[in-house]
mmCIF file of all heavy atoms in Angstrom:
data_model
loop_
_atom_site.group_PDB
_atom_site.id
_atom_site.type_symbol
_atom_site.label_atom_id
_atom_site.label_comp_id
_atom_site.label_asym_id
_atom_site.label_seq_id
_atom_site.Cartn_x
_atom_site.Cartn_y
_atom_site.Cartn_z
ATOM 1 N N ALA A 149 -15.343 22.023 47.121
ATOM 2 C CA ALA A 149 -15.667 22.947 48.217
ATOM 3 C C ALA A 149 -15.126 24.349 47.983
ATOM 4 O O ALA A 149 -15.674 25.329 48.497
ATOM 5 C CB ALA A 149 -15.126 22.389 49.537
ATOM 6 N N ASP A 150 -14.052 24.454 47.199
ATOM 7 C CA ASP A 150 -13.450 25.756 46.929
ATOM 8 C C ASP A 150 -14.034 26.437 45.691
ATOM 9 O O ASP A 150 -13.584 27.515 45.307
ATOM 10 C CB ASP A 150 -11.933 25.607 46.754
ATOM 11 C CG ASP A 150 -11.267 25.096 48.025
ATOM 12 O OD1 ASP A 150 -11.750 25.460 49.110
ATOM 13 O OD2 ASP A 150 -10.298 24.326 47.912
ATOM 14 N N GLY A 151 -15.011 25.792 45.056
ATOM 15 C CA GLY A 151 -15.627 26.374 43.881
ATOM 16 C C GLY A 151 -14.956 26.023 42.569
ATOM 17 O O GLY A 151 -15.395 26.439 41.498
ATOM 18 N N GLY A 152 -13.856 25.248 42.640
ATOM 19 C CA GLY A 152 -13.191 24.812 41.416
ATOM 20 C C GLY A 152 -13.885 23.604 40.812
ATOM 21 O O GLY A 152 -14.716 22.949 41.456
ATOM 22 N N LEU A 153 -13.552 23.308 39.572
ATOM 23 C CA LEU A 153 -14.169 22.182 38.873
ATOM 24 C C LEU A 153 -13.356 20.907 39.081
ATOM 25 O O LEU A 153 -12.132 20.918 38.981
ATOM 26 C CB LEU A 153 -14.276 22.477 37.381
ATOM 27 C CG LEU A 153 -15.244 23.570 36.936
ATOM 28 C CD1 LEU A 153 -15.162 23.748 35.429
ATOM 29 C CD2 LEU A 153 -16.673 23.230 37.351
ATOM 30 N N VAL A 154 -14.058 19.832 39.344
ATOM 31 C CA VAL A 154 -13.465 18.496 39.385
ATOM 32 C C VAL A 154 -13.940 17.759 38.146
ATOM 33 O O VAL A 154 -15.146 17.560 37.954
ATOM 34 C CB VAL A 154 -13.882 17.728 40.651
ATOM 35 C CG1 VAL A 154 -13.251 16.342 40.658
ATOM 36 C CG2 VAL A 154 -13.490 18.509 41.905
ATOM 37 N N ILE A 155 -13.016 17.388 37.274
ATOM 38 C CA ILE A 155 -13.346 16.707 36.022
ATOM 39 C C ILE A 155 -13.094 15.208 36.211
ATOM 40 O O ILE A 155 -11.992 14.796 36.575
ATOM 41 C CB ILE A 155 -12.512 17.253 34.856
ATOM 42 C CG1 ILE A 155 -12.786 18.748 34.667
ATOM 43 C CG2 ILE A 155 -12.821 16.492 33.571
ATOM 44 C CD1 ILE A 155 -11.941 19.392 33.583
ATOM 45 N N SER A 156 -14.138 14.415 35.962
ATOM 46 C CA SER A 156 -14.077 12.967 36.212
ATOM 47 C C SER A 156 -14.218 12.190 34.905
ATOM 48 O O SER A 156 -14.979 12.580 34.020
ATOM 49 C CB SER A 156 -15.184 12.547 37.182
ATOM 50 O OG SER A 156 -15.161 13.342 38.358
ATOM 51 N N ASP A 157 -13.490 11.078 34.840
ATOM 52 C CA ASP A 157 -13.533 10.244 33.641
ATOM 53 C C ASP A 157 -13.645 8.785 34.062
ATOM 54 O O ASP A 157 -12.877 8.307 34.898
ATOM 55 C CB ASP A 157 -12.264 10.456 32.810
ATOM 56 C CG ASP A 157 -12.361 9.821 31.440
ATOM 57 O OD1 ASP A 157 -13.300 10.164 30.698
ATOM 58 O OD2 ASP A 157 -11.499 8.986 31.094
ATOM 59 N N TYR A 158 -14.634 8.066 33.489
ATOM 60 C CA TYR A 158 -14.815 6.651 33.792
ATOM 61 C C TYR A 158 -13.936 5.806 32.868
ATOM 62 O O TYR A 158 -13.898 6.030 31.655
ATOM 63 C CB TYR A 158 -16.266 6.222 33.576
ATOM 64 C CG TYR A 158 -17.297 7.104 34.231
ATOM 65 C CD1 TYR A 158 -18.313 7.697 33.487
ATOM 66 C CD2 TYR A 158 -17.277 7.344 35.606
ATOM 67 C CE1 TYR A 158 -19.272 8.494 34.074
ATOM 68 C CE2 TYR A 158 -18.237 8.149 36.210
ATOM 69 C CZ TYR A 158 -19.233 8.721 35.427
ATOM 70 O OH TYR A 158 -20.182 9.520 36.011
ATOM 71 N N LYS A 159 -13.271 4.819 33.446
ATOM 72 C CA LYS A 159 -12.456 3.895 32.683
ATOM 73 C C LYS A 159 -12.905 2.468 32.986
ATOM 74 O O LYS A 159 -13.065 2.098 34.148
ATOM 75 C CB LYS A 159 -10.976 4.042 33.047
ATOM 76 C CG LYS A 159 -10.389 5.421 32.783
ATOM 77 C CD LYS A 159 -10.313 5.728 31.303
ATOM 78 C CE LYS A 159 -9.579 7.034 31.052
ATOM 79 N NZ LYS A 159 -9.575 7.400 29.613
ATOM 80 N N THR A 160 -13.110 1.673 31.944
ATOM 81 C CA THR A 160 -13.524 0.286 32.144
ATOM 82 C C THR A 160 -12.407 -0.697 31.806
ATOM 83 O O THR A 160 -12.598 -1.906 31.927
ATOM 84 C CB THR A 160 -14.766 -0.040 31.292
ATOM 85 O OG1 THR A 160 -14.484 0.246 29.914
ATOM 86 C CG2 THR A 160 -15.967 0.766 31.745
ATOM 87 N N GLY A 161 -11.256 -0.174 31.393
ATOM 88 C CA GLY A 161 -10.133 -1.041 31.065
ATOM 89 C C GLY A 161 -9.292 -1.381 32.285
ATOM 90 O O GLY A 161 -9.648 -1.089 33.423
#
Side-chain angles (χ1 to χ4, degrees):
D150 297 326
L153 292 178
V154 180
I155 300 177
S156 308
D157 191 57
Y158 310 124
K159 300 292 187 184
T160 56

